[in-house]
Amino acid sequence: MLYGVTLLLVALGLFIWQLPSLIQHQLPTWLQKHYGLQLSMSKPRLEEGALLLNDVNLRDKQGAPLLAWHSLRITPRWWDSVREQALLLDSVHLFGPVVTLTRHDGDHFSLNDAFAPLFAGKSDPSEGSDAPPTLHIGKIYLSGGIFDYQDARKLPAGKKDPALLLRAIDLTLGDLTLAPNTRLPFTLDAHLKEAKLGASGTLILTPWQVEGKAQIDQLPVNLFAPWWHPWVAMNVPKGSASASAKVLVNQQQWQVKEGELTLDNWQVTRAHPMGTLPAEIGRFARLGAKGVSLDGQKRQLSIAGITWSEPVFTTRLDEQYLPDLMPLILPARTQPTLNNASSKPANASKPAAQHAQAAPSVTKASVKPAASHQNTAPHHSESTGPWQWRIDKIAVQNGTVNLNEPSSGKWRSRHISALSATFSPLSGALEKPANVSFKSRVDNLANLGFDGQMTLYPFSFDGHIEQQTVPLGWAQAYLQNWLRTRIDSGNLNGRQQLVLATDKSGNWQRASLKGDLKIDSFKMVDKRDNQRLLTFDGLAANNISGDLVKRSISVERVLVNHGYGRLEVNKDGSTNLQSLLLPGPAPSASAQHSRDTSPPLTLRIDEVATRDGELLFADRRLSRDFVVNIASLNGQTRHISNTPGRRSEIALQGKVDSYAPVSIEGTANLLVAQPVLDMTAAFKNLELTTFTPYSANYAGYAIDKGQISMRLQYKLVGSKLEGSNDIRITKLQLGDKVESPDAMDLPLKLAVALLSDSKGEINLDLKVKGDLDNPDFSVGKLFWNVLGNTLSKAITSPFSLLASLTGSQAPVEQVNFPAGESELAPQTQAQLSQLADALHQRPQLGINLRGEVDHHGDLLALQRLQLENQLGKELDRPTSLEQIGSDSELQAALDTLYSSTFAGDIKALALSHQLVPGSNSAWTLGIDTLAARQRVSDKSLRRLAIRRAQYIKAQFVEHYNISPERVFVLDSKSGDEKSEARVLFSLEVE
């Protein structure tokens, strides 16, 4: 026994004594001969019972470095190893190890290629039943280690893997043994650039398992740019990543718990210049994730929270309003194929297969216990379904977006700041709702936000959207290609409930909006003249409800405060509203042939109220612009709808030019295919001077003075319009005559005088009718035509108008006199009285009197009168031829005169006419015969005509109190064969 122990000790001593020499002389030669590996080292030595291998350098066939270290100190427990028939080491300490891993073309790695022959031809480690030798190492130390990874493939620099240099690697591992289920405590520290990497925990070799904590601090992310360049053309020149987690990895599962990830101070730029686009895409102060849990066996990911602080993005939208980030995504063909043998098809390439074989193997002895353990341990099959994920909350804090968008061809900048958003929770169960909120400030002017619940698939949102002080001028960029207007001011405020929902095919099931909005200080300008077109201090719309699926819009109330609108008629007859429209782009061929099968949109507004509004109307067609202003406009329109059979109720009051009251009342529905209207508009005491442009254009006179009040009643059914215009004009005075080619050829002043009563009022009732479908239809033209016809009728039949004033149907245009008389017969006085009464009702009229004589009746009467005067002179007394039958003296004088005139007597005359001498008939024949011989001059006839006119004037002045200044006796002549015994009347303006 003692002898055997002695021999064993001697053999052990000889082995220990020769071990350094064997390593130095045999190992390099053996590696070079069999595997082509080049090994160099300092002379191994024993020091205080420990084996020292210093300055070791292992290279491949080409001399490329693989593995090196400064010093390896192995401290065996020699005697214990012999006694227990095991390999027992007190400690292993490796100083300054350097591992160099190089990637070559064909996805070859230097370490795999170098060490693959060492394991080539080895049998399956699971074969055989020999138990592994007992191994125990009390402590393993690795100090100051370096891991150097290089990509030596012949590729452009941007296509290569990033170079990695791990330095200051320190590793401690205690109580190493190959016994199954033995937990080995370890710690690991390293540095990568400025980043610090660390891990601690326990390691089980059979069955293998790693459990512990790992962390990375301030890892520069720009090191890994080549890894994402095949997918996105972006650089991250600034930024670091830090992470920590509890990790469990074994043959059945891998788990991450209590994980945290923090990305600090990132800057993302474009990898290549893109025209005028800014180089920087974005940056952020911090992106942090907490409570990260991963379970590879269950395929589950959960994150308690993600917080993104102070992100800043700069982007530009193209003409299709897509962000310029899209060109950063590289085509799929440039993406590398993952080098994973397990994912290759059956005919995978040989290099990949070699790669799988070249993985470092373990000995049979070390593997068999693990295989035995696998056979006895419960097996947890890994799920092959999709990953299940959940994020309890995502928060964005104080974000910023600098946005450029085309807006109708012109680039507009938008600065979105103070952006905050939350999403909670989100998960792979896309049908489950998540709470979302969003707030932002745009251009340091407007606040926009929304909050509610959202599902991702099928998509739905139910929440509120809010707008605060949104400048409506932003809409100008989108309207400028459609309207010749400019929005100078206006702010939108509102809060609405928005409900959106689609089915699984993406078809809209719900799309509704409910809420209020308010617009303050709105001003829209007509670009043609740079004058305001539409303004209001405030507009409030309450209880708006819109449903795009049901195609309905309803509003409970709209209130407009201090509104102003301008309506103008241009010189060509078009309105300024028509002129505002710009020709839009031509519709596409598909749009021209497509038919909108959607149901019609229904509209309902319960009330539109206006407070202190103003409406300006101008007609520029005239030689002088007609401008009227309706101010202090108040009232409401109720029950506005585009449903047939319903009518809105309108009640408005205002003042024209700030003093003349106006009211508009009635019902209407102009939003249906067959519009209806029944309206009454009343205007009081409008100044007629305002209407001078119309009177000058259509009547040829300016208006110097006057007021007008109107009550207009119009009814519209379909295209048929009927109207009644009850007009009262007070104290109208025409001004200067104005030359106008469109003026009516009428003595307008006479018409005014004919229509003006004793109070200076003109009362008209004008009826109009028209058809809106007539292309020449115009309400104004229709009105002036009716008014012109009324005036023409008054001027062409003035005495009919005057007769109507007294209730008579017979016009008094003349009065007839008895033959030879200058005074009216009593029965004719009534006609004169009727005319005088009418003149009192038309004080502006003057009347002209022109006397006439009848060349037959009046001549005969004057001849008889002249004969009577001659006989009275002979008798020296008054005589009357009517008394010839009873006046013997007159008979004798007549007979004497006849004898001296004709040399005969009246008796013979009577007998020649078969009359009884001395009878009245005989005497009358004698008078007529003598009268016919009387000579009557034209002067006498003219004097009779004048006396008649003078007589009528006297009657008007003395008996009917007509001012003499209003009655004129015209020059009278003896007339002609058509003249009558009368006085003719004509009218004129005083």
Side-chain angles (χ1 to χ4, degrees), residues 479-707:
L479 298 177
Q480 62 184 4
N481 281 353
W482 304 96
L483 295 174
R484 289 189 179 93
T485 60
R486 185 181 70 249
I487 300 176
D488 280 355
S489 64
N491 293 319
L492 171 68
N493 296 274
R495 180 175 174 84
Q496 305 88 31
Q497 181 185 17
L498 177 65
V499 179
L500 302 172
T502 66
D503 59 18
K504 292 183 179 180
S505 300
N507 300 315
W508 286 108
Q509 298 298 304
R510 295 190 65 186
S512 63
L513 183 74
K514 296 181 180 180
D516 303 332
L517 65 82
K518 183 179 180 182
I519 300 175
D520 299 320
S521 305
F522 180 80
K523 180 180 181 181
M524 177 182 283
V525 169
D526 188 337
K527 281 186 174 182
R528 299 175 310 153
D529 55 12
N530 204 38
Q531 300 295 318
R532 61 176 179 162
L533 176 68
L534 177 66
T535 67
F536 48 79
D537 289 350
L539 181 148
N542 299 328
N543 290 335
I544 302 170
S545 179
D547 193 317
L548 294 183
V549 175
K550 297 180 179 178
R551 294 184 62 81
S552 64
I553 298 175
S554 65
V555 183
E556 182 178 296
R557 189 169 190 262
V558 178
L559 174 62
V560 182
N561 280 318
H562 293 91
Y564 168 86
R566 177 161 60 101
L567 177 62
E568 294 187 0
V569 180
N570 301 318
K571 290 186 178 298
D572 60 0
S574 64
T575 67
N576 62 330
L577 301 184
Q578 293 171 315
S579 302
L580 297 178
L581 297 175
L582 292 170
S588 63
S590 60
Q592 291 177 348
H593 294 289
S594 64
R595 296 180 61 186
D596 186 3
T597 59
S598 303
L601 180 71
T602 60
L603 171 68
R604 191 192 83 241
I605 303 176
D606 292 343
E607 181 182 23
V608 175
T610 181
R611 297 290 180 268
D612 200 20
E614 183 179 355
L615 176 64
L616 180 72
F617 175 78
D619 192 339
R620 311 293 186 188
R621 296 172 299 172
L622 313 174
S623 57
R624 305 182 187 182
D625 289 346
F626 170 75
V627 180
V628 65
N629 187 51
I630 301 178
S632 301
L633 191 61
N634 295 280
Q636 58 280 325
T637 301
R638 294 189 173 95
H639 312 307
I640 300 173
S641 171
N642 65 346
T643 302
R646 296 184 179 181
R647 294 193 181 193
S648 57
E649 300 172 0
I650 303 170
L652 299 171
Q653 302 82 36
K655 294 181 179 180
V656 176
D657 294 335
S658 300
Y659 59 83
V662 57
S663 66
I664 302 173
E665 295 180 353
T667 62
N669 191 343
L670 305 179
L671 303 178
V672 292
Q674 293 293 321
V676 293
L677 177 142
D678 188 352
M679 299 290 294
T680 299
F683 300 83
K684 294 183 179 180
N685 303 325
L686 301 180
E687 288 296 332
L688 277 172
T689 51
T690 305
F691 295 88
T692 286
Y694 283 115
S695 66
N697 190 79
Y698 295 108
Y701 281 93
I703 297 177
D704 192 49
K705 178 183 177 182
Q707 292 183 350

Side-chain angles (χ1 to χ4, degrees), residues 118-130 251 357 359-372 374-375:
L118 291 173
F119 304 101
K122 298 293 183 180
S123 61
D124 189 337
S126 64
E127 296 178 357
S129 58
D130 296 338
Q251 290 176 321
Q357 295 175 358
S361 302
V362 295
T363 64
K364 293 181 181 180
S366 64
V367 169
K368 190 166 184 178
S372 175
Q374 290 175 354
N375 293 334

